[in-house]
Amino acid sequence: MNMRKSANLVLLLVAAVFCYGLQISKPHYGELIGPIPARGKLGDTVVGRAFEVHAEKVEFARKLTVDQFGQQRVLTTGGVWAVVTVEIAARSESTTIGVASWRGPTGLTYDQTERLSFMNGLLPVAIDPGLPRKARLIFEVRPDEASDATLLVSEKLVAALDSQAEIALGPVAVAADGLPAGTVDMLDMAQPL
Amino acid sequence: MTAEALDQENRAGERKWRRRSLWSLILLVPLALAVESYDSVKALVGNNDLFPRRVVWGESAQFGGSDWKLTDLRGAFGMSNLPPDSVPVLADFQVKVGNPDLQKLWLGCKIMLIDKDGRRWSPTSIISLKTPDNVGNCISAIFSGAKSGDTVNLRETFLVPKEATKSIRPAVSVASERPHFLLFHLEKD
């Protein structure tokens, strides 16, 4: 009788451990219906369902100069400006790329800046099949979020069950002043892409 | 009848019904799934342009309560400031309004170009060419107050890669006719 009792106890324990395993390994609802990642790195062409994106280069700057109604304006920042030049094209149907964000190594995520909303060539951009188009994605980030960041690009804010390009931008060395190595003082956004 | 015999009969009847219930699940489970997903499937089909209705060059077709006719499809060459290897394409339609409730029947109106590989181009905003006063587009026509019997002229401008210009065909779709859409053939087809 004692034998049987302990067997039952073991069985109960095994069942509890099994259920706990199921509980912690189960994907979250948000993950199940979340965006579907299309991964790549700087220089790759990352192909999603409706669009493909190719990140050409990343530049860092302390200040940006922009043209606003024929006047030059200088935008400063408490962090650092990160400017990613990308080429995007639609695959089978004309569409719009509306959202880009910069995810730092610690998971802090920065949306595209809205301080340049009057500038041309920012998101959202309309793209057509067979006609790749260049765009600048501009972020204002903390200097310690510059290295090993991931660029996220999707059509809509809620990219549920649709592709989201995740582009690994790679390591960036830190200069003596704490900013990413190669940070320039000024980047001119009026330069053609 | 003894109580024992009655009991046995009841048990046999129970077994029979249990088996019937199990078998009916084979029918009921798929049926329940179908009923549950009916609205989703309907919405999915109603949001997509799936089945082309082909229209021969020079002829008009009844669509969304009006008669649609493709009058011209041509490239606008020689423009500067365009992306490399791209051509602006103009599609002109003449529509004889039948049912004037355009705000309902033409809702979600979409004019597009489709090439032989099934790629679809929507009207572009990169270039805007001057159009005559009596020419509008699909959306402006909805609010133009056109009456039954009126003819409205529509034009949409597209930007298409050069390699696709040979095989593109214009297509029209409105929410009231989806999943069907009109696919216009050209003179050379």
Side-chain angles (χ1 to χ4, degrees):
Chain A
M1 201 62 198
N2 233 345
M3 185 74 188
R4 185 137 171 217
K5 243 185 194 168
S6 48
N8 276 344
L9 205 67
V10 167
L11 206 66
L12 187 72
L13 278 175
V14 167
V17 168
F18 180 69
C19 287
Y20 180 68
L22 278 183
Q23 193 190 22
I24 56 167
S25 67
K26 164 189 88 172
H28 217 260
Y29 185 66
E31 286 161 35
L32 279 179
I33 63 152
I36 299 164
R39 296 198 175 90
K41 54 183 195 301
L42 193 68
D44 287 353
T45 297
V46 178
V47 181
R49 180 188 66 86
F51 66 93
E52 48 191 51
V53 52
H54 166 87
E56 285 179 1
K57 59 175 177 186
V58 186
E59 293 162 292
F60 296 99
R62 284 194 197 89
K63 289 176 225 141
L64 294 185
T65 58
V66 288
D67 250 357
Q68 186 180 20
F69 312 121
Q71 272 187 333
Q72 205 179 52
R73 262 183 65 183
V74 176
L75 295 174
T76 58
T77 172
V80 64
W81 290 106
V83 180
V84 190
T85 309
V86 293
E87 191 173 66
I88 355 175
R91 292 187 66 209
S92 63
E93 206 168 332
S94 300
T95 181
T96 314
I97 296 297
V99 186
S101 27
W102 177 284
R103 190 168 67 199
T106 61
L108 285 184
T109 304
Y110 298 84
D111 287 344
Q112 196 189 214
T113 182
E114 288 174 11
R115 290 173 62 190
L116 293 89
S117 51
F118 46 84
M119 202 180 94
N120 269 334
L122 289 179
L123 303 184
V125 290
I127 47 170
D128 294 303
L131 296 173
R133 197 175 158 182
K134 287 197 177 185
R136 278 193 187 104
L137 310 176
I138 306 174
F139 308 92
E140 201 177 351
V141 303
R142 259 169 55 166
D144 57 346
E145 297 292 322
S147 186
D148 284 315
T150 309
L151 176 73
L152 308 174
V153 181
S154 54
E155 286 171 272
K156 294 184 283 280
L157 194 57
V158 185
L161 292 175
D162 205 347
S163 306
Q164 182 179 52
E166 296 192 7
I167 302 171
L169 299 175
V172 178
V174 181
D177 57 357
L179 293 180
T183 302
V184 296
D185 189 51
M186 193 91 96
L187 261 185
D188 188 2
M189 293 293 102
Q191 290 293 320
L193 279 162
Chain B
M1 211 180 260
T2 63
E4 209 172 292
L6 202 71
D7 200 28
Q8 205 146 32
E9 200 173 289
N10 270 349
R11 226 177 295 156
E14 221 172 80
R15 241 206 315 266
K16 196 158 72 184
W17 273 107
R18 192 159 50 210
R19 206 165 297 145
R20 279 183 191 164
S21 305
L22 275 175
W23 280 112
S24 69
L25 280 182
I26 294 179
L27 201 73
L28 285 175
V29 169
L31 198 70
L33 281 177
V35 170
E36 274 291 300
S37 58
Y38 176 74
D39 279 342
S40 308
V41 170
K42 210 170 91 172
L44 183 73
V45 166
N47 280 327
N48 284 291
D49 306 308
L50 299 177
F51 311 113
R53 200 176 291 157
R54 290 164 208 286
V55 185
V56 182
W57 169 255
E59 282 184 15
S60 61
Q62 177 88 21
F63 194 69
S66 299
D67 279 316
W68 290 74
K69 185 180 174 184
L70 176 71
T71 51
D72 200 6
L73 182 76
R74 63 180 187 280
F77 293 94
M79 279 180 68
S80 57
N81 269 336
L82 289 178
D85 292 318
S86 65
V87 182
V89 172
L90 307 178
D92 284 288
F93 295 87
Q94 207 170 60
V95 189
K96 192 153 181 279
V97 177
N99 187 333
D101 190 6
L102 303 186
Q103 292 188 26
K104 198 167 135 227
L105 291 167
W106 287 23
L107 194 73
C109 175
K110 217 160 72 183
I111 296 183
M112 55 199 165
L113 297 179
I114 304 179
D115 80 346
K116 60 175 190 321
D117 300 325
R119 295 187 296 174
R120 295 175 181 199
W121 285 266
S122 300
T124 182
S125 55
I126 295 178
I127 37 172
S128 55
L129 300 166
K130 208 167 145 47
T131 51
D133 282 345
N134 62 342
V135 175
N137 64 29
C138 211
I139 306 296
S140 72
I142 292 179
F143 302 100
S144 66
K147 287 180 280 295
S148 190
D150 286 358
T151 299
V152 289
N153 296 302
L154 309 178
R155 172 179 293 172
E156 295 284 6
T157 312
F158 302 86
L159 199 62
V160 172
K162 230 172 234 162
E163 32 95 13
T165 47
K166 279 206 170 68
S167 67
I168 44 170
R169 302 286 175 270
V172 176
S173 111
V174 292
S176 63
E177 296 273 2
R178 270 174 213 141
H180 298 278
F181 66 98
L182 287 187
L183 183 64
F184 290 88
H185 283 213
L186 303 183
E187 202 170 5
K188 60 189 181 194
D189 289 336

